[in-house]
PDB file of all heavy atoms in Angstrom:
ATOM      1  N   ARG H   1      95.106 111.714 121.029  1.00 92.00           N
ATOM      2  CA  ARG H   1      95.044 113.055 121.592  1.00 92.00           C
ATOM      3  C   ARG H   1      94.824 113.035 123.097  1.00 92.00           C
ATOM      4  O   ARG H   1      94.489 114.044 123.699  1.00 92.00           O
ATOM      5  CB  ARG H   1      93.971 113.888 120.911  1.00 92.00           C
ATOM      6  CG  ARG H   1      92.572 113.384 121.045  1.00 92.00           C
ATOM      7  CD  ARG H   1      91.614 114.417 120.424  1.00 92.00           C
ATOM      8  NE  ARG H   1      90.312 113.859 120.214  1.00 92.00           N
ATOM      9  CZ  ARG H   1      89.358 113.851 121.136  1.00 92.00           C
ATOM     10  NH1 ARG H   1      89.567 114.351 122.318  1.00 92.00           N
ATOM     11  NH2 ARG H   1      88.184 113.323 120.861  1.00 92.00           N
ATOM     12  N   GLY H   2      94.987 111.896 123.701  1.00 93.00           N
ATOM     13  CA  GLY H   2      94.823 111.796 125.149  1.00 93.00           C
ATOM     14  C   GLY H   2      93.898 110.647 125.506  1.00 93.00           C
ATOM     15  O   GLY H   2      93.606 109.790 124.679  1.00 93.00           O
ATOM     16  N   ARG H   3      93.469 110.650 126.746  1.00 94.00           N
ATOM     17  CA  ARG H   3      92.589 109.586 127.211  1.00 94.00           C
ATOM     18  C   ARG H   3      91.198 110.131 127.426  1.00 94.00           C
ATOM     19  O   ARG H   3      91.015 111.292 127.758  1.00 94.00           O
ATOM     20  CB  ARG H   3      93.146 108.971 128.488  1.00 94.00           C
ATOM     21  CG  ARG H   3      94.482 108.327 128.210  1.00 94.00           C
ATOM     22  CD  ARG H   3      95.133 107.563 129.300  1.00 94.00           C
ATOM     23  NE  ARG H   3      94.684 107.743 130.646  1.00 94.00           N
ATOM     24  CZ  ARG H   3      95.047 106.956 131.643  1.00 94.00           C
ATOM     25  NH1 ARG H   3      95.860 105.957 131.420  1.00 94.00           N
ATOM     26  NH2 ARG H   3      94.624 107.161 132.855  1.00 94.00           N
ATOM     27  N   GLY H   4      90.226 109.265 127.216  1.00 92.00           N
ATOM     28  CA  GLY H   4      88.837 109.660 127.403  1.00 92.00           C
ATOM     29  C   GLY H   4      88.074 108.576 128.137  1.00 92.00           C
ATOM     30  O   GLY H   4      88.467 107.416 128.150  1.00 92.00           O
ATOM     31  N   ASP H   5      86.975 108.973 128.728  1.00 92.00           N
ATOM     32  CA  ASP H   5      86.148 108.060 129.506  1.00 92.00           C
ATOM     33  C   ASP H   5      84.690 108.379 129.217  1.00 92.00           C
ATOM     34  O   ASP H   5      84.367 109.391 128.610  1.00 92.00           O
ATOM     35  CB  ASP H   5      86.460 108.246 130.992  1.00 92.00           C
ATOM     36  CG  ASP H   5      85.972 107.101 131.855  1.00 92.00           C
ATOM     37  OD1 ASP H   5      85.501 106.087 131.299  1.00 92.00           O
ATOM     38  OD2 ASP H   5      86.047 107.204 133.096  1.00 92.00           O
ATOM     39  N   GLY H   6      83.796 107.524 129.626  1.00 92.00           N
ATOM     40  CA  GLY H   6      82.367 107.782 129.507  1.00 92.00           C
ATOM     41  C   GLY H   6      81.892 107.814 128.070  1.00 92.00           C
ATOM     42  O   GLY H   6      82.193 106.931 127.276  1.00 92.00           O
ATOM     43  N   TRP H   7      81.126 108.866 127.737  1.00 93.00           N
ATOM     44  CA  TRP H   7      80.503 108.960 126.416  1.00 93.00           C
ATOM     45  C   TRP H   7      81.536 108.969 125.305  1.00 93.00           C
ATOM     46  O   TRP H   7      81.348 108.331 124.273  1.00 93.00           O
ATOM     47  CB  TRP H   7      79.627 110.216 126.329  1.00 93.00           C
ATOM     48  CG  TRP H   7      78.874 110.287 125.046  1.00 93.00           C
ATOM     49  CD1 TRP H   7      77.673 109.694 124.779  1.00 93.00           C
ATOM     50  CD2 TRP H   7      79.256 110.945 123.835  1.00 93.00           C
ATOM     51  NE1 TRP H   7      77.292 109.947 123.480  1.00 93.00           N
ATOM     52  CE2 TRP H   7      78.251 110.716 122.879  1.00 93.00           C
ATOM     53  CE3 TRP H   7      80.358 111.693 123.472  1.00 93.00           C
ATOM     54  CZ2 TRP H   7      78.312 111.216 121.592  1.00 93.00           C
ATOM     55  CZ3 TRP H   7      80.418 112.198 122.181  1.00 93.00           C
ATOM     56  CH2 TRP H   7      79.401 111.954 121.262  1.00 93.00           C
ATOM     57  N   GLU H   8      82.634 109.682 125.491  1.00 93.00           N
ATOM     58  CA  GLU H   8      83.661 109.764 124.451  1.00 93.00           C
ATOM     59  C   GLU H   8      84.289 108.401 124.169  1.00 93.00           C
ATOM     60  O   GLU H   8      84.528 108.034 123.022  1.00 93.00           O
ATOM     61  CB  GLU H   8      84.741 110.769 124.857  1.00 93.00           C
ATOM     62  CG  GLU H   8      85.714 111.089 123.742  1.00 93.00           C
ATOM     63  CD  GLU H   8      86.680 112.189 124.120  1.00 93.00           C
ATOM     64  OE1 GLU H   8      86.998 112.368 125.308  1.00 93.00           O
ATOM     65  OE2 GLU H   8      87.111 112.880 123.187  1.00 93.00           O
ATOM     66  N   ALA H   9      84.524 107.618 125.196  1.00 94.00           N
ATOM     67  CA  ALA H   9      85.106 106.289 125.022  1.00 94.00           C
ATOM     68  C   ALA H   9      84.132 105.344 124.324  1.00 94.00           C
ATOM     69  O   ALA H   9      84.517 104.578 123.436  1.00 94.00           O
ATOM     70  CB  ALA H   9      85.526 105.712 126.373  1.00 94.00           C
ATOM     71  N   VAL H  10      82.853 105.392 124.704  1.00 94.00           N
ATOM     72  CA  VAL H  10      81.880 104.496 124.074  1.00 94.00           C
ATOM     73  C   VAL H  10      81.578 104.949 122.646  1.00 94.00           C
ATOM     74  O   VAL H  10      81.334 104.129 121.763  1.00 94.00           O
ATOM     75  CB  VAL H  10      80.607 104.345 124.937  1.00 94.00           C
ATOM     76  CG1 VAL H  10      79.683 105.518 124.799  1.00 94.00           C
ATOM     77  CG2 VAL H  10      79.866 103.072 124.584  1.00 94.00           C
ATOM     78  N   ARG H  11      81.634 106.249 122.370  1.00 94.00           N
ATOM     79  CA  ARG H  11      81.456 106.749 120.998  1.00 94.00           C
ATOM     80  C   ARG H  11      82.546 106.183 120.092  1.00 94.00           C
ATOM     81  O   ARG H  11      82.292 105.718 119.000  1.00 94.00           O
ATOM     82  CB  ARG H  11      81.503 108.283 120.963  1.00 94.00           C
ATOM     83  CG  ARG H  11      81.330 108.844 119.547  1.00 94.00           C
ATOM     84  CD  ARG H  11      81.991 110.195 119.343  1.00 94.00           C
ATOM     85  NE  ARG H  11      83.361 110.298 119.788  1.00 94.00           N
ATOM     86  CZ  ARG H  11      84.422 109.888 119.074  1.00 94.00           C
ATOM     87  NH1 ARG H  11      84.272 109.318 117.918  1.00 94.00           N
ATOM     88  NH2 ARG H  11      85.638 110.041 119.553  1.00 94.00           N
ATOM     89  N   GLN H  12      83.787 106.197 120.583  1.00 94.00           N
ATOM     90  CA  GLN H  12      84.883 105.649 119.803  1.00 94.00           C
ATOM     91  C   GLN H  12      84.723 104.140 119.616  1.00 94.00           C
ATOM     92  O   GLN H  12      84.975 103.610 118.535  1.00 94.00           O
ATOM     93  CB  GLN H  12      86.226 105.960 120.465  1.00 94.00           C
ATOM     94  CG  GLN H  12      87.408 105.400 119.705  1.00 94.00           C
ATOM     95  CD  GLN H  12      88.714 105.884 120.269  1.00 94.00           C
ATOM     96  OE1 GLN H  12      89.159 106.951 119.904  1.00 94.00           O
ATOM     97  NE2 GLN H  12      89.322 105.098 121.144  1.00 94.00           N
ATOM     98  N   ALA H  13      84.270 103.447 120.642  1.00 93.00           N
ATOM     99  CA  ALA H  13      84.050 102.001 120.532  1.00 93.00           C
ATOM    100  C   ALA H  13      82.988 101.695 119.485  1.00 93.00           C
ATOM    101  O   ALA H  13      83.136 100.757 118.690  1.00 93.00           O
ATOM    102  CB  ALA H  13      83.649 101.426 121.889  1.00 93.00           C
ATOM    103  N   VAL H  14      81.922 102.481 119.449  1.00 95.00           N
ATOM    104  CA  VAL H  14      80.860 102.290 118.451  1.00 95.00           C
ATOM    105  C   VAL H  14      81.431 102.476 117.051  1.00 95.00           C
ATOM    106  O   VAL H  14      81.183 101.667 116.148  1.00 95.00           O
ATOM    107  CB  VAL H  14      79.684 103.261 118.705  1.00 95.00           C
ATOM    108  CG1 VAL H  14      78.758 103.328 117.506  1.00 95.00           C
ATOM    109  CG2 VAL H  14      78.926 102.847 119.949  1.00 95.00           C
ATOM    110  N   GLU H  15      82.218 103.521 116.842  1.00 94.00           N
ATOM    111  CA  GLU H  15      82.797 103.777 115.528  1.00 94.00           C
ATOM    112  C   GLU H  15      83.711 102.637 115.091  1.00 94.00           C
ATOM    113  O   GLU H  15      83.704 102.226 113.933  1.00 94.00           O
ATOM    114  CB  GLU H  15      83.558 105.105 115.516  1.00 94.00           C
ATOM    115  CG  GLU H  15      82.667 106.311 115.617  1.00 94.00           C
ATOM    116  CD  GLU H  15      81.660 106.414 114.478  1.00 94.00           C
ATOM    117  OE1 GLU H  15      82.024 106.141 113.319  1.00 94.00           O
ATOM    118  OE2 GLU H  15      80.498 106.737 114.752  1.00 94.00           O
ATOM    119  N   VAL H  16      84.499 102.119 116.008  1.00 93.00           N
ATOM    120  CA  VAL H  16      85.394 101.017 115.663  1.00 93.00           C
ATOM    121  C   VAL H  16      84.586  99.756 115.356  1.00 93.00           C
ATOM    122  O   VAL H  16      84.862  99.054 114.371  1.00 93.00           O
ATOM    123  CB  VAL H  16      86.416 100.765 116.794  1.00 93.00           C
ATOM    124  CG1 VAL H  16      87.236  99.517 116.521  1.00 93.00           C
ATOM    125  CG2 VAL H  16      87.336 101.966 116.955  1.00 93.00           C
ATOM    126  N   ILE H  17      83.578  99.466 116.146  1.00 93.00           N
ATOM    127  CA  ILE H  17      82.772  98.257 115.932  1.00 93.00           C
ATOM    128  C   ILE H  17      82.102  98.276 114.568  1.00 93.00           C
ATOM    129  O   ILE H  17      82.078  97.267 113.867  1.00 93.00           O
ATOM    130  CB  ILE H  17      81.733  98.084 117.063  1.00 93.00           C
ATOM    131  CG1 ILE H  17      82.433  97.691 118.364  1.00 93.00           C
ATOM    132  CG2 ILE H  17      80.685  97.047 116.693  1.00 93.00           C
ATOM    133  CD1 ILE H  17      81.551  97.739 119.592  1.00 93.00           C
ATOM    134  N   VAL H  18      81.560  99.425 114.141  1.00 93.00           N
ATOM    135  CA  VAL H  18      80.852  99.467 112.860  1.00 93.00           C
ATOM    136  C   VAL H  18      81.793  99.551 111.668  1.00 93.00           C
ATOM    137  O   VAL H  18      81.360  99.348 110.532  1.00 93.00           O
ATOM    138  CB  VAL H  18      79.807 100.607 112.785  1.00 93.00           C
ATOM    139  CG1 VAL H  18      78.763 100.448 113.862  1.00 93.00           C
ATOM    140  CG2 VAL H  18      80.454 101.971 112.841  1.00 93.00           C
ATOM    141  N   HIS H  19      83.080  99.828 111.894  1.00 91.00           N
ATOM    142  CA  HIS H  19      84.012  99.913 110.778  1.00 91.00           C
ATOM    143  C   HIS H  19      84.984  98.736 110.695  1.00 91.00           C
ATOM    144  O   HIS H  19      85.824  98.694 109.791  1.00 91.00           O
ATOM    145  CB  HIS H  19      84.787 101.225 110.839  1.00 91.00           C
ATOM    146  CG  HIS H  19      83.937 102.397 110.484  1.00 91.00           C
ATOM    147  ND1 HIS H  19      83.370 103.212 111.438  1.00 91.00           N
ATOM    148  CD2 HIS H  19      83.517 102.872 109.297  1.00 91.00           C
ATOM    149  CE1 HIS H  19      82.660 104.141 110.847  1.00 91.00           C
ATOM    150  NE2 HIS H  19      82.714 103.960 109.544  1.00 91.00           N
ATOM    151  N   VAL H  20      84.894  97.802 111.624  1.00 91.00           N
ATOM    152  CA  VAL H  20      85.757  96.619 111.590  1.00 91.00           C
ATOM    153  C   VAL H  20      84.944  95.436 111.079  1.00 91.00           C
ATOM    154  O   VAL H  20      83.887  95.120 111.631  1.00 91.00           O
ATOM    155  CB  VAL H  20      86.343  96.313 112.984  1.00 91.00           C
ATOM    156  CG1 VAL H  20      86.995  94.951 113.022  1.00 91.00           C
ATOM    157  CG2 VAL H  20      87.327  97.391 113.387  1.00 91.00           C
ATOM    158  N   GLU H  21      85.429  94.816 110.032  1.00 90.00           N
ATOM    159  CA  GLU H  21      84.774  93.632 109.468  1.00 90.00           C
ATOM    160  C   GLU H  21      85.042  92.450 110.399  1.00 90.00           C
ATOM    161  O   GLU H  21      86.196  92.098 110.661  1.00 90.00           O
ATOM    162  CB  GLU H  21      85.325  93.339 108.075  1.00 90.00           C
ATOM    163  CG  GLU H  21      84.797  92.087 107.450  1.00 90.00           C
ATOM    164  CD  GLU H  21      83.438  92.273 106.794  1.00 90.00           C
ATOM    165  OE1 GLU H  21      83.131  93.375 106.337  1.00 90.00           O
ATOM    166  OE2 GLU H  21      82.688  91.276 106.754  1.00 90.00           O
ATOM    167  N   ARG H  22      83.975  91.847 110.891  1.00 88.00           N
ATOM    168  CA  ARG H  22      84.086  90.718 111.807  1.00 88.00           C
ATOM    169  C   ARG H  22      84.722  89.518 111.098  1.00 88.00           C
ATOM    170  O   ARG H  22      84.458  89.282 109.933  1.00 88.00           O
ATOM    171  CB  ARG H  22      82.695  90.348 112.301  1.00 88.00           C
ATOM    172  CG  ARG H  22      82.695  89.437 113.483  1.00 88.00           C
ATOM    173  CD  ARG H  22      81.262  89.216 113.919  1.00 88.00           C
ATOM    174  NE  ARG H  22      81.217  89.022 115.345  1.00 88.00           N
ATOM    175  CZ  ARG H  22      80.118  89.064 116.062  1.00 88.00           C
ATOM    176  NH1 ARG H  22      78.969  89.309 115.501  1.00 88.00           N
ATOM    177  NH2 ARG H  22      80.153  88.859 117.350  1.00 88.00           N
ATOM    178  N   PHE H  23      85.543  88.787 111.796  1.00 86.00           N
ATOM    179  CA  PHE H  23      86.228  87.572 111.337  1.00 86.00           C
ATOM    180  C   PHE H  23      87.324  87.847 110.308  1.00 86.00           C
ATOM    181  O   PHE H  23      87.909  86.923 109.783  1.00 86.00           O
ATOM    182  CB  PHE H  23      85.249  86.548 110.733  1.00 86.00           C
ATOM    183  CG  PHE H  23      84.066  86.247 111.601  1.00 86.00           C
ATOM    184  CD1 PHE H  23      82.789  86.534 111.172  1.00 86.00           C
ATOM    185  CD2 PHE H  23      84.228  85.681 112.852  1.00 86.00           C
ATOM    186  CE1 PHE H  23      81.691  86.257 111.955  1.00 86.00           C
ATOM    187  CE2 PHE H  23      83.129  85.401 113.656  1.00 86.00           C
ATOM    188  CZ  PHE H  23      81.866  85.693 113.206  1.00 86.00           C
ATOM    189  N   ARG H  24      87.618  89.111 109.980  1.00 88.00           N
ATOM    190  CA  ARG H  24      88.623  89.405 108.957  1.00 88.00           C
ATOM    191  C   ARG H  24      90.002  89.656 109.543  1.00 88.00           C
ATOM    192  O   ARG H  24      91.000  89.279 108.958  1.00 88.00           O
ATOM    193  CB  ARG H  24      88.207  90.592 108.115  1.00 88.00           C
ATOM    194  CG  ARG H  24      89.255  90.928 107.040  1.00 88.00           C
ATOM    195  CD  ARG H  24      88.807  91.977 106.113  1.00 88.00           C
ATOM    196  NE  ARG H  24      87.880  91.398 105.156  1.00 88.00           N
ATOM    197  CZ  ARG H  24      87.260  92.094 104.231  1.00 88.00           C
ATOM    198  NH1 ARG H  24      87.464  93.387 104.133  1.00 88.00           N
ATOM    199  NH2 ARG H  24      86.439  91.516 103.395  1.00 88.00           N
TER     200      ARG H  24
END
């Protein structure tokens, strides 16, 4: 839906980190 910076970008990074299985 576009580009984001700051809090919105780090919020998305947090969501991806907690939903991606490491080493898989």
Side-chain angles (χ1 to χ4, degrees):
R1 62 174 165 87
R3 297 186 343 169
D5 197 7
W7 185 85
E8 190 174 28
V10 79
R11 180 207 49 82
Q12 179 172 275
V14 165
E15 290 300 319
V16 173
I17 289 169
V18 300
H19 288 99
V20 168
E21 176 82 29
R22 194 177 212 166
F23 309 118
R24 179 173 282 177

